[in-house]
Amino acid sequence: MSRTRWRLGLSVTALLAASAALPAPAQAAAVTDYTITVDPAARGASIADTMYGVFFEDINRAADGGLYAELVQNRSFEYSAVDNRSYTPLTSWSVDGTAQVRDDSGRLNDRNRAYLSLDAGSSVTNSGYNTGVRVEKGKRYDFSVWARAESGTTLTVSLTDAPGPLATARRVAVEGGWAQYRATFTAGRTSSYGRLTVASTAPVALDMVSLFPRDTYRGEPNGLRKDLAEKIEALRPGFVRFPGGCLVNTGSMQDYSEAGGWQRARSYQWKDTVGPVEERATNANFWGYNQSYGLGYYEYFRLAEDVGAMPLPVVPALVTGCGQNRAVDDEALLRRHIQDTLDLVEFANGPATSTWGKVRARMGHPEPFHLTHIEVGNEENLPEEFFARFQRFRAAIEAEYPEITVISNSGPDDTGAIFDTAWKLNRDADVALVDEHYYNSPQWFLRNNDRYDSYDRQGPKVFLGEYASQGNAWRNGLAEAAFMTGLERNADVVRLASYAPLFANEDYVQWRPDMVWFNNHASWNSANYEVQKLFMTNTGDRVVPSRASGTPAAGGPITGAIGLSTWATSAAYDDVKVTAADGAPLFDDDFSGDASRWTHTGGGSWSIRDGQYVQTDEAAENTLVQAGDPSWHDYDLHVKATKKSGKEGFLVAFGVKDTGNYYWWNLGGWNNTRSAVEQAADGAKSTLIAKAGSVETGRAYDLDVKVRGRQVTLYLDGQEWGSFTDDQKAEPFRQVVTEDRHTGELIVKVVNAQDGRARTAIDLGDVKVRSRARVTTLAAAADAVNTETDTPVTPVTSTLDGVSARFTYTFPANSVTFLRIRQR
């Protein structure tokens, strides 16, 4: 933190006197006294305009069926079982008559390999996304199709729902080879259950059957869904990171070509996604569906430009992650990807006369996109292999484009061996920015406000590219807000930060939580979005050093019962023993009898077999069974564990209070690639220690857990595996002060993440301020969740009179409050 001389806050007596005139609480609740002391003369860190941004990844149908405004699902008949085992080329289509999807030389082009052959008198109907094709009364919709009919035919195109027509049907004459045909509908009724039907009087080949609302974001054809894009714009993001995420570092690294074997499941490669949409290659999305690439790199760059943000693309490093963990050893392929990255810079920044600048110009943007940052790789679990390849990318980019900042990463965790190794490699190589990712419990975020206080001020800077507190309730938003005050306080280290993921279609969810939720007719802001928006639109230009008094915390040792669990795995347990620190036996079960002392609180199928306690359901997740006394503390736990079959290893729990609050040692997790100790708090988990490693099937492991106070040591087959001390305080009262030089305002940002009001004396030092301040408050019950029909977490703006250099303010329970105080 900045070195400064702190001014004394008000005394407790003065604080109580100053707040005596405040109205009494509306209901009985604890009122806690705090002080905030500000030194406006001291110099805090500068905050860049790019401090906060957004990360867009095509997960939860965020692109097709989401931000990309196309209303037809599987418009090019490219869906495949490679994308999802339930898919066929006619997924989302129904046929009346005879139709067949073909993959032969009659196709539209080599990169759009499937098309539909429709017989005379037949029709196909598309069901869209969610409940159907959404249309609104009076609005216009543009239909297009690529068609081929050597002897000529007439297509009848109609929009209907169960009650009847939604618009006047259109007839389109088709004759000759492949050509694009268009028509326009005006909706006569509003419906979220529409169907688009194409019927033909004679044999015809169809591809790229499309329906777009005319009313897209900024009126762009092939454009973005207006309400979703406007939610991004409302954040005023400093950057847009895209396209991933796991999309970047999973699957094949080959291109989509005959030489590459027409790979369907491959990493996101930018050249697949530019040019005419009918020539863009399809792909199997890592999250279990298909990507049309109608939303591609050009559209990402345009979105960043339209919202006034810096584009920040991520390219593959040829080391897979997200549970795949393979280093691709192919020198020619590596050189090709490096050249692709150099070509990406030319596509973004090159003159319209250059090879790739010409492609950009033909797409409608002759001016450059002003790319300044590129990230190589994403969450790789093999740090040495990743970094060797990263160095090749960085050297090539900096040699040709020295003005480009090349960003590295530190793996998938906030701590552990991979994290430490990656950071050392980045630090030794003097990397400019290192991308950190973590998804942890609200308690973790409350505990780790000071995470970056101790980071090396002379070392690489931090890009916090993905983070979230595992939930969309208001308690999650509060915890993230508390953590963000620490990000701002350390703005000299943390240069960029973005919550993740951004979007989720409520009917196609692979990941929770998410910042914005939507369906085919509505979208709504999560509590987390409201926090992000408040910080992103009230950032300020520099930190004004300040400090606050803390909240007394209750101490005590780790207490709780013990447990056994599995995750997508069958495992057997034996010889469970718990011994007190003085050697006294507390629990012993060799499973020679029944399992009556174990309480089954999770899923799965548990039974005693051959003197072992066995969980046999390989599909079940979190099969927790628990035993013992929740008041146990200072004990030793021994378990013998054997993996029988399945994807992962086994889980041994301790400090178990209930089904949502416990610790467990997760051996062979993450598709049997990593082991970690995780803490669950109110159902949300945080990683306390992690290492790479796997578990062998059929091998019996001896596991020992030693709990002493808040110190835990873990032993694997008699050897110490790791240890940790869980003694960080979950401070619910956090603050930071920044200055907006443009308006001359001090922005006092306070988070009160507790059920009681926080009566607070605020000392601004010698600064002269106006007597009226603008106040924005987010406050709700801790378990409140925003939905399509109810948004309890909504900002409330007001004014505060009586502001001076020293004043008292009572912050509501469970609140985030920003006071904008103008200096005189």
Side-chain angles (χ1 to χ4, degrees):
M1 295 184 69
S2 302
R3 295 179 180 176
T4 185
R5 180 171 56 86
W6 301 107
R7 302 180 186 277
L8 293 175
L10 295 178
S11 69
V12 174
T13 302
L15 171 60
L16 294 175
S19 58
L22 290 172
Q27 58 185 11
V31 178
T32 308
D33 295 330
Y34 293 89
T35 61
I36 295 174
T37 309
V38 184
D39 189 349
R43 302 302 302 173
S46 295
I47 306 174
D49 291 340
T50 53
M51 174 71 179
Y52 295 121
V54 295
F55 166 46
F56 183 93
E57 178 173 7
D58 189 356
I59 183 174
N60 309 310
R61 288 280 188 190
D64 295 327
L67 184 62
Y68 185 49
E70 174 66 76
L71 297 174
V72 176
Q73 184 174 179
N74 190 18
R75 67 183 178 185
S76 194
F77 310 101
E78 295 285 348
Y79 277 27
S80 164
V82 176
D83 311 330
N84 186 297
R85 284 182 295 177
S86 68
Y87 281 1
T88 74
L90 283 171
T91 292
S92 298
W93 293 94
S94 59
V95 177
D96 184 3
T98 305
Q100 182 179 356
V101 176
R102 300 184 182 279
D103 179 359
D104 58 30
S105 59
R107 64 178 65 91
L108 179 60
N109 60 68
D110 277 349
R111 292 167 67 79
N112 190 339
R113 302 189 64 75
Y115 67 97
L116 183 74
S117 176
L118 188 66
D119 281 0
S122 300
S123 65
V124 286
T125 298
N126 191 268
S127 57
Y129 295 94
N130 301 92
T131 57
V133 175
R134 166 71 176 185
V135 296
E136 296 181 40
K137 182 178 179 179
K139 291 195 173 182
R140 303 178 74 185
Y141 296 85
D142 293 323
F143 167 82
S144 66
V145 64
W146 283 81
R148 172 171 54 81
E150 303 303 336
S151 59
T153 186
T154 297
L155 302 180
T156 300
V157 188
S158 56
L159 268 173
T160 61
D161 62 4
L166 292 167
T168 302
R170 300 297 186 212
R171 286 176 173 79
V172 178
V174 175
E175 187 171 5
W178 284 110
Q180 190 175 36
Y181 299 87
R182 301 179 184 275
T184 299
F185 294 95
T186 300
R189 290 188 292 112
T190 294
S191 176
S192 297
Y193 301 89
R195 299 291 187 266
L196 177 74
T197 299
V198 181
S200 180
T201 59
V204 66
L206 304 176
D207 207 343
M208 297 296 290
V209 183
S210 172
L211 187 70
F212 261 89
R214 181 73 59 86
D215 189 20
T216 58
Y217 179 64
R218 303 207 172 196
E220 291 287 339
N222 192 52
L224 306 182
R225 178 169 152 175
K226 189 174 182 180
D227 61 327
L228 297 183
E230 286 177 345
K231 288 189 182 298
I232 300 175
E233 183 178 59
L235 293 169
R236 291 190 287 192
F239 64 87
V240 178
R241 178 179 182 249
F242 60 87
C246 289
L247 303 188
V248 166
N249 66 339
T250 54
S252 168
M253 297 293 165
Q254 297 289 344
D255 64 353
Y256 193 61
S257 67
E258 183 175 10
W262 304 113
Q263 296 280 348
R264 289 287 300 232
R266 64 190 187 284
S267 63
Y268 196 113
Q269 299 174 46
W270 78 270
K271 289 180 179 178
D272 289 340
T273 76
V274 298
V277 292
E278 67 273 11
E279 296 177 7
R280 300 184 189 182
T282 192
N283 202 4
N285 182 292
F286 174 79
W287 299 107
Y289 53 92
N290 178 272
Q291 290 173 277
S292 73
Y293 285 147
L295 177 58
Y297 255 75
Y298 177 79
E299 290 76 24
Y300 285 129
F301 278 122
R302 285 295 303 267
L303 172 64
E305 181 178 67
D306 287 344
V307 301
M310 175 181 79
L312 204 165
V314 187
V315 298
L318 273 71
V319 178
T320 60
C322 302
Q324 297 183 0
N325 304 335
R326 182 173 64 91
V328 179
D329 189 14
D330 184 328
E331 176 62 26
L333 190 59
L334 175 62
R335 288 199 301 269
R336 194 267 288 173
H337 275 266
I338 291 172
Q339 185 59 51
D340 282 354
T341 304
L342 297 175
D343 292 343
L344 173 60
V345 181
E346 183 176 282
F347 175 78
N349 293 353
T353 55
S354 65
T355 301
W356 288 101
K358 189 179 300 181
V359 174
R360 181 194 70 237
R362 282 200 301 263
M363 294 183 74
H365 201 283
E367 298 302 315
F369 283 119
H370 306 294
L371 177 66
T372 59
H373 292 65
I374 286 181
E375 182 171 357
V376 177
N378 171 75
E379 291 189 12
E380 283 73 23
N381 270 319
L382 304 173
E384 290 91 353
E385 292 86 341
F386 159 73
F387 203 75
R389 289 156 179 79
F390 169 83
Q391 288 282 61
R392 295 277 301 277
F393 278 85
R394 183 169 77 150
I397 296 168
E398 291 180 347
E400 192 158 341
Y401 300 105
E403 72 278 10
I404 299 292
T405 298
V406 186
I407 304 171
S408 181
N409 75 81
S410 60
D413 296 312
D414 61 273
T415 188
I418 294 171
F419 178 88
D420 292 340
T421 300
W423 257 105
K424 184 179 187 306
L425 292 167
N426 285 303
R427 192 178 297 110
D428 290 349
D430 196 26
V431 171
L433 272 171
V434 178
D435 189 0
E436 293 190 354
H437 294 177
Y438 36 81
Y439 297 92
N440 289 320
S441 69
Q443 185 180 44
W444 185 94
F445 283 93
L446 291 176
R447 287 178 167 183
N448 283 274
N449 176 275
D450 62 350
R451 174 180 177 87
Y452 297 107
D453 289 3
S454 59
Y455 269 49
D456 180 4
R457 270 40 207 171
Q458 306 306 314
K461 305 307 179 185
V462 173
F463 170 24
L464 180 49
E466 299 182 33
Y467 72 99
S469 69
Q470 298 178 345
N472 280 139
W474 179 226
R475 67 169 53 87
N476 300 95
L478 286 167
E480 290 155 7
F483 188 73
M484 292 171 79
T485 66
L487 299 183
E488 291 194 3
R489 187 177 64 251
N490 289 285
D492 58 328
V493 169
V494 183
R495 294 295 175 84
L496 308 166
S498 51
Y499 179 100
L502 177 59
F503 286 126
N505 185 319
E506 66 173 352
D507 291 333
Y508 309 93
V509 180
Q510 295 88 42
W511 183 281
R512 297 174 188 268
D514 304 284
M515 193 155 67
V516 175
W517 289 81
F518 65 92
N519 50 39
N520 66 352
H521 62 272
S523 58
W524 55 97
N525 303 334
S526 68
N528 319 68
Y529 176 97
E530 296 296 352
V531 165
Q532 293 293 322
K533 183 178 178 183
L534 191 58
F535 275 85
M536 291 168 80
T537 57
N538 293 276
T539 307
D541 302 293
R542 73 172 181 100
V543 177
V544 182
S546 62
R547 66 177 180 179
S549 56
T551 307
I558 293 175
T559 61
I562 62 168
L564 309 170
S565 188
T566 60
W567 199 286
T569 302
S570 173
Y573 296 92
D574 201 359
D575 298 335
V576 179
K577 297 179 183 178
V578 182
T579 308
D582 61 3
L586 298 175
F587 183 90
D588 191 343
D589 198 339
D590 63 2
F591 302 107
S592 57
D594 58 27
S596 58
R597 290 190 288 170
W598 295 85
T599 301
H600 189 178
T601 58
S605 178
W606 289 89
S607 61
I608 292 180
R609 298 185 178 185
D610 301 323
Q612 295 180 313
Y613 202 17
V614 184
Q615 197 292 115
T616 55
D617 186 348
E618 289 185 24
E621 298 180 346
N622 193 1
T623 64
L624 185 66
V625 292
Q626 59 190 72
D629 189 338
S631 67
W632 280 347
H633 61 87
D634 297 291
Y635 57 81
D636 297 316
L637 166 63
H638 172 79
V639 180
K640 187 178 290 291
T642 305
K643 173 181 176 178
K644 309 293 280 186
S645 60
K647 296 180 180 179
E648 305 208 346
F650 27 77
L651 300 146
V652 175
F654 54 96
V656 179
K657 298 183 183 300
D658 52 46
T659 56
N661 295 274
Y662 54 84
Y663 302 80
W664 68 18
W665 190 5
N666 183 350
L667 287 125
W670 297 271
N671 287 325
N672 204 16
T673 61
R674 288 190 289 144
S675 297
V677 176
E678 298 175 282
Q679 181 185 17
D682 295 326
K685 291 193 290 291
S686 300
T687 300
L688 302 181
I689 182 173
K691 295 183 178 182
S694 59
V695 167
E696 298 175 25
T697 301
R699 174 184 166 186
Y701 291 84
D702 284 306
L703 311 177
D704 292 276
V705 181
K706 180 179 180 180
V707 181
R708 295 292 185 273
R710 303 202 67 81
Q711 169 79 30
V712 177
T713 308
L714 305 109
Y715 300 87
L716 178 62
D717 288 334
Q719 301 296 313
E720 183 174 328
W721 178 87
S723 64
F724 67 92
T725 302
D726 183 21
D727 59 358
Q728 288 179 290
K729 179 182 176 183
E731 173 58 61
F733 186 83
R734 294 291 189 182
Q735 59 79 40
V736 70
V737 180
T738 64
E739 181 185 30
D740 185 330
R741 289 177 180 149
H742 178 71
T743 64
E745 291 170 306
L746 295 177
I747 311 173
V748 180
K749 312 174 187 185
V750 178
V751 181
N752 180 29
Q754 56 191 332
D755 292 334
R757 300 184 305 162
R759 185 173 50 188
T760 306
I762 301 173
D763 183 352
L764 300 177
D766 295 333
V767 68
K768 298 183 186 300
V769 297
R770 297 184 185 272
S771 62
R772 174 172 289 185
R774 288 188 293 152
V775 184
T776 305
T777 304
L778 292 168
D783 60 356
V785 176
N786 285 355
T787 67
E788 179 183 353
T789 57
D790 185 27
T791 53
V793 183
T794 300
V796 175
T797 58
S798 60
T799 58
L800 173 67
D801 292 318
V803 176
S804 63
R806 293 171 180 80
F807 67 102
T808 299
Y809 190 86
T810 298
F811 296 95
N814 298 312
S815 67
V816 180
T817 306
F818 280 26
L819 306 173
R820 293 191 71 110
I821 303 169
R822 189 178 295 276
Q823 301 177 80
R824 288 193 289 123

